[in-house]
Amino acid sequence: MSGGRGVGRGIAVGLLAGFVVDRVFGDPARYHPVAALGRAAGVAERAMYRDSRPAGLLFTTVCAGSAWGAGRLVGGSRPEWVRAAVTASTAWSALGGTTLTRIGDEVADALDAGDLDAARALLPSLCGRDPSVLDGAGIARAALESIAENTSDAAVAPLVWGAVAGVPGLVVYRTVNTLDAMVGYRTDRHGRFGWASARLDDLANIVPARITGVLAVVLGPDAPGAVRAWRRDARRHPSPNAGVAEAAFAGALGVTLGGRTEYPHGVEERPRLGDGPAPDTADLRAAVALSRRIQVATAVGAAGLAAVLSRRSVR
């Protein structure tokens, strides 16, 4: 029993430590493991690419399975302090919440200073839209939508999967999310090949996105507005998960998101989410503050969940 509880303590302590390191330092400036992961997945994509769903399913299975094996190998250390250290370093690599909110603040600063060029230069670090076609209002909206969606993808989801499955959960989740970013868009090349990666990412984020929505309701400034927008608008969004996070943020902050959205692969007309005016820089800063509160609450909750799951596993 004590061994199982030690595992749980190691994971819980490691998740909290990794979160604290991310809050202090943000993403690793050099030799980021996710960049190495992307390069390895790129090699696999070029070797395995066929314009078909079965080929994409094989690619996704190989990448996710390899990530699980690597996570099991790295996370299999027995001493509690070693497990905590490995979990902490892996969590730091998997988390991106601090960098997300820092860039959100920097975009708001640039917009308040009237420096559209600087704001446009920052936007690709948040989302895949074409910044050259956006004015200040469009940049504020794009940044706020990205803050909402990526609060779930870059912070809540890694912590949840780390609590449930330790180091393997962290590694597999970050791999799946990276695959979706690489091949999950409906481009000519990846429309069929990327289908499996996109659907697996949807599955991996179903629970984290809804945790994000609940925390936006609880921690945001307008709980009834967040609930109303979530229930009414989230289902209109093309993503079953991004719609939840964006609608809850929109309702909590009293703004309207959605509308014409231009990506390198084409233009989409996104549904309207929430009520109120289009977001400005004050709303973007409020979204950043809400994201930070959600991240802290999730880190504490994930540590508690890891401890509870470990106790149940040894009964």
Side-chain angles (χ1 to χ4, degrees):
M1 292 179 63
S2 61
R5 290 177 180 174
V7 168
R9 284 196 299 269
I11 294 173
V13 171
L15 290 174
L16 286 176
F19 177 75
V20 170
V21 173
D22 180 65
R23 288 296 290 260
V24 174
F25 297 105
D27 287 340
R30 301 177 63 186
Y31 310 115
H32 198 304
V34 175
L37 174 63
R39 288 192 293 271
V43 171
E45 190 270 350
R46 290 189 291 274
M48 302 177 68
Y49 176 80
R50 302 291 186 277
D51 188 15
S52 71
R53 286 188 175 184
L57 176 60
L58 179 61
F59 165 75
T60 303
T61 302
V62 168
C63 291
S66 299
W68 176 262
R72 290 280 295 177
L73 180 65
V74 173
S77 304
R78 295 305 177 196
E80 182 180 337
W81 71 270
V82 174
R83 186 179 296 275
V86 171
T87 302
S89 61
T90 308
W92 179 33
S93 299
L95 288 167
T98 296
T99 298
L100 173 74
T101 54
R102 186 185 69 236
I103 294 174
D105 276 336
E106 290 174 355
V107 170
D109 290 341
L111 291 175
D112 281 340
D115 192 345
L116 285 182
D117 288 339
R120 290 185 179 119
L122 288 164
L123 195 62
S125 298
L126 288 177
C127 59
R129 302 185 194 180
D130 181 1
S132 66
V133 302
L134 297 177
D135 59 10
I139 293 171
R141 184 202 122 200
L144 199 157
E145 289 173 353
S146 181
I147 293 292
E149 178 181 0
N150 286 297
T151 295
S152 177
D153 288 359
V156 175
L159 289 166
V160 169
W161 281 108
V164 171
V167 170
L170 288 163
V171 176
V172 172
Y173 174 75
R174 183 47 63 199
T175 298
V176 169
N177 195 243
T178 300
L179 295 181
D180 179 60
M182 290 178 60
V183 304
Y185 290 102
R186 296 176 182 175
T187 61
D188 291 340
R189 178 176 175 85
H190 293 133
R192 284 181 284 271
F193 183 81
W195 177 86
S197 293
R199 297 292 77 76
L200 184 58
D201 184 71
D202 286 343
L203 288 172
N205 282 290
I206 285 175
V207 172
R210 282 144 187 84
I211 291 173
T212 303
V214 169
L215 291 175
V217 171
V218 174
L219 301 175
D222 185 353
V227 172
R228 181 173 60 251
W230 181 354
R231 294 181 61 184
R232 185 192 63 203
D233 300 334
R235 71 191 71 177
R236 303 174 186 171
H237 198 283
S239 167
N241 300 316
V244 171
E246 291 181 22
F249 265 67
L253 300 174
V255 298
T256 296
L257 302 176
R260 182 180 174 87
T261 305
E262 298 195 30
Y263 294 98
H265 62 270
V267 177
E268 298 180 17
E269 189 64 34
R270 290 292 176 85
R272 302 288 177 174
L273 308 174
D275 302 298
D280 57 18
T281 54
D283 299 311
L284 176 55
R285 294 186 192 280
V288 167
L290 177 56
S291 175
R292 289 190 173 115
R293 293 195 294 273
I294 289 172
Q295 291 178 43
V296 171
T298 304
V300 174
L305 177 61
V308 169
L309 291 177
S310 70
R311 284 198 294 270
R312 288 185 176 181
S313 69
V314 298
R315 285 179 180 175

